[in-house]
């Protein structure tokens, strides 16, 4: 094998590695910084807990052009009428879920001289059976030859969850 051939092969494999690295970096930009922290508010002391709610809390700076850049390490205080906690962004916040009666969350974040605040309300919606058809019947061709209702072939049930939170620092 000649010296020039070995260098060109090394250049190609280095180019492939660079392409893979660039692809991974761009994939990270598309979804934000990976979230490694998780803060859990225990729900064992409450009686009406219906499971847990998970939301991601992130902080951003916005420049004059409207471009957002994520701020890492901002300290946030999270308060509601039932509990309070602190976290460092970005973080996943795991809370007791009280269904539609879940309290409003208030966020106050600070990174050095920058500060920002936000709120999150519980979002409740109806989840129906995946094959459900939206028209409420009656359907004479379907056993038991009567009312089909919303959801048609399966039950519909309410789902309550908090949306992810993005706080802009100024």
């Amino acid at each position: 094998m000649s010296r020039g051939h070995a260098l060109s092969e090394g250049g190609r494999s280095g180019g492939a590695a660079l392409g893979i690295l660039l692809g991974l970096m761009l994939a990270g930009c598309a979804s934000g910084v990976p979230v490694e922290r998780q803060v859990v508010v225990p729900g064992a002391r409450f009686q009406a807990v219906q499971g847990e709610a998970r939301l991601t809390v992130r902080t951003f700076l916005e420049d004059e052009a409207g471009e957002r850049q994520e701020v890492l390490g901002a300290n946030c205080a999270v308060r509601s009428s039932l509990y309070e906690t602190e976290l460092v962004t970005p973080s996943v916040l795991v809370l007791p879920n009280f269904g539609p009666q879940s309290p409003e969350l208030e966020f106050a974040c600070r990174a050095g001289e920058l500060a920002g605040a936000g709120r999150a309300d519980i979002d409740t919606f109806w989840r129906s059976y995946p094959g459900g058809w939206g028209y409420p019947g009656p359907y004479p061709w379907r056993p038991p030859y009567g009312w089909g209702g919303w959801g048609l072939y399966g039950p519909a049930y309410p789902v309550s969850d908090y949306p992810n939170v993005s706080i802009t620092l100024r």
Side-chain angles (χ1 to χ4, degrees), residues 153-166:
Y153 297 113
Y157 54 92
V159 176
S160 298
D161 209 357
Y162 288 102
N164 292 332
V165 175
S166 298

Side-chain angles (χ1 to χ4, degrees), residues 16-160:
L18 180 61
I20 291 171
L21 179 63
L22 183 60
L24 289 173
M25 288 172 48
L26 289 175
C29 291
S31 61
V33 176
V35 180
E36 297 176 359
R37 295 181 193 96
Q38 178 171 302
V39 176
V40 178
V41 176
R45 63 187 171 136
F46 302 107
Q47 293 180 359
V49 174
Q50 301 175 11
E52 62 183 31
R54 293 174 170 267
L55 65 143
T56 303
V57 181
R58 296 180 183 270
T59 49
F60 293 91
L61 285 176
E62 192 170 308
D63 63 11
E64 300 82 28
E67 295 287 324
R68 291 180 5 156
Q69 184 169 355
E70 189 163 0
V71 176
L72 306 177
N75 294 312
C76 296
V78 183
R79 291 186 177 84
S80 78
S81 60
L82 299 175
Y83 45 79
E84 60 183 49
T85 190
E86 293 184 358
L87 58 87
V88 176
T89 62
S91 261
V92 172
L93 183 58
V94 182
L95 305 167
N97 190 338
F98 300 95
Q101 288 80 31
S102 295
E104 177 183 66
L105 302 176
E106 295 180 4
F107 298 85
C109 299
R110 181 170 293 283
E113 298 293 318
L114 302 170
R119 294 175 183 249
D121 288 324
I122 194 75
D123 184 22
T124 301
F125 55 94
W126 283 90
R127 169 97 20 107
S128 63
Y129 184 74
W133 186 43
Y135 188 72
Y139 305 109
W141 61 86
R142 182 180 160 258
Y145 304 108
W147 190 261
W150 298 101
L152 191 60
Y153 297 113
Y157 54 92
V159 176
S160 298

